[in-house]
Amino acid sequence: MSFEVLHERFPRLIVCDISGYGEGGPYEQKKAYDLLIQSEGGFLSVTGGPGETEMAKAGCSIADIAAGMYAYTGVLSALMLRDKTGEGSRVDVSMLESLVEWMGYPLYYAYKGATPPPRAGAAHATIYPYGPFPTGDGGTVMLGLQNEREWLAFCDKVLLQPELAQDERFSSNARRSEHRTELRALIVEAFSHLSAEEVIARLDAAPIANAHVNDMAGVWAHPQLEARQRWSEVDSPAGRLPALLPPGRNSAFAPRMDPIPALGQHTDSLLAELGYATEDIRRLHDQGAV
């Protein structure tokens, strides 16, 4: 099933191989799971809390997904190449290389031995205030300031403390980041008298970027997903299930949302497409190979 053998028989065929570390090199045969690649790719070093033992993995299989996305784009580019040349090609995707590509910001931050960005939990490692803050009703609001204009507006319209903008401890982003403990205490105190929705209303009016800190139930009920009609339903062996429409809505067509197949539902048709005769498929079933 190598690309070379398949290409000789089916010159238009596109083959995509996904592995942990890619073909060749000392890690070629090394086992790879998502969390292991998060570790090898440096993701764990910049994710989690500031303590030595507080590193954290991503809440989803980010290395697996990164590899899948580059496989997807690699196959699409191979299809475009085939349209021009008439020839298929091989796409070789490494989980490690895919995740390291996504690590560009912290990677170049530490270029030539420079100090890497510290782990800062859900806060930004180098910009402050940028992260989650508790509110008086037990909620949490995520906010992010990007420049001095927003800092002035934050002091004036959100904290209602315009004089704070003149405090030398907070006169630049570098100073605010250096004195983030003191600044956080001031922000938490101001927010302790407000609900999460009241804080968000002030931030929107400023205007300063902000977000709810949603749990999964909050995402299921997200008003923006509902307003844009992003939920559909598909059939499955377990019955009708909600399914999110693919990102990137195209004005020219509606995406297909076919039923989720049962295990092995398409085995025979796929084998037939590959040239297996009916008796060969039946023999594979009898042998327990499929």
Side-chain angles (χ1 to χ4, degrees):
M1 296 291 284
S2 69
F3 171 72
E4 291 73 21
V5 172
L6 291 169
H7 185 69
E8 186 175 346
R9 292 182 59 192
F10 310 101
R12 290 179 56 81
L13 185 66
I14 293 166
V15 173
C16 180
D17 292 321
I18 304 176
S19 61
Y21 296 98
E23 185 178 353
Y27 280 42
E28 179 181 16
Q29 299 300 319
K30 194 174 179 70
K31 290 184 177 181
Y33 304 124
D34 182 88
L35 180 54
L36 303 181
I37 298 298
Q38 289 188 40
S39 181
E40 286 280 356
F43 185 88
L44 295 186
S45 75
V46 297
T47 307
E52 287 298 318
T53 61
E54 293 182 54
M55 65 177 64
K57 67 180 182 66
C60 63
S61 300
I62 190 172
D64 290 341
I65 296 168
M69 293 305 296
Y70 283 110
Y72 172 63
T73 56
V75 169
L76 288 180
S77 63
L79 286 167
M80 295 176 70
L81 179 64
R82 187 175 70 183
D83 284 344
K84 295 180 178 295
T85 67
E87 291 277 317
S89 56
R90 180 188 178 219
V91 180
D92 175 19
V93 177
S94 154
M95 290 171 63
L96 177 66
E97 292 162 13
S98 299
L99 189 60
V100 169
E101 174 69 16
W102 286 6
M103 293 293 293
Y105 172 77
L107 192 61
Y108 281 101
Y109 202 93
Y111 181 58
K112 286 191 173 181
T115 303
R119 290 195 301 272
H124 198 287
T126 58
I127 302 174
Y128 202 82
Y130 193 147
F133 292 89
T135 57
D137 61 350
T140 303
V141 169
M142 184 74 69
L143 63 91
L145 276 69
Q146 292 286 346
N147 52 56
E148 297 311 305
R149 180 197 63 77
E150 291 187 346
W151 167 242
L152 294 175
F154 183 70
C155 294
D156 185 25
K157 298 181 179 180
V158 179
L159 299 181
L160 304 184
Q161 301 176 44
E163 70 282 356
L164 198 61
Q166 308 307 317
D167 192 313
E168 280 299 314
R169 295 173 299 172
F170 314 131
S171 58
S172 67
N173 175 67
R175 300 277 292 168
R176 290 191 291 274
S177 192
E178 179 184 355
H179 296 282
R180 62 175 59 200
T181 301
E182 301 98 302
L183 182 51
R184 178 177 175 80
L186 293 171
I187 296 171
V188 170
E189 166 59 25
F191 286 3
S192 68
H193 308 289
L194 303 169
S195 68
E197 292 304 321
E198 287 172 329
V199 171
I200 285 177
R202 288 190 184 184
L203 290 166
D204 282 341
I208 291 170
N210 64 82
H212 295 85
V213 181
N214 283 321
D215 56 14
M216 292 299 97
V219 177
W220 278 110
H222 202 291
Q224 184 69 3
L225 297 176
E226 180 182 358
R228 282 173 51 83
Q229 300 178 322
R230 300 309 294 165
W231 289 107
S232 179
E233 278 194 339
V234 295
D235 286 321
S236 80
R240 299 284 288 176
L241 294 173
L244 197 64
L245 293 171
R249 186 166 59 184
N250 191 299
S251 62
F253 62 86
R256 283 177 52 178
M257 298 293 286
D258 291 350
I260 299 170
L263 181 63
Q265 180 178 329
H266 298 133
T267 296
D268 291 359
S269 60
L270 288 171
L271 289 172
E273 283 186 34
L274 291 172
Y276 284 84
T278 302
E279 57 271 20
D280 294 328
I281 297 173
R282 186 181 302 114
R283 185 168 57 254
L284 289 171
H285 279 288
D286 291 341
Q287 295 170 346
V290 297

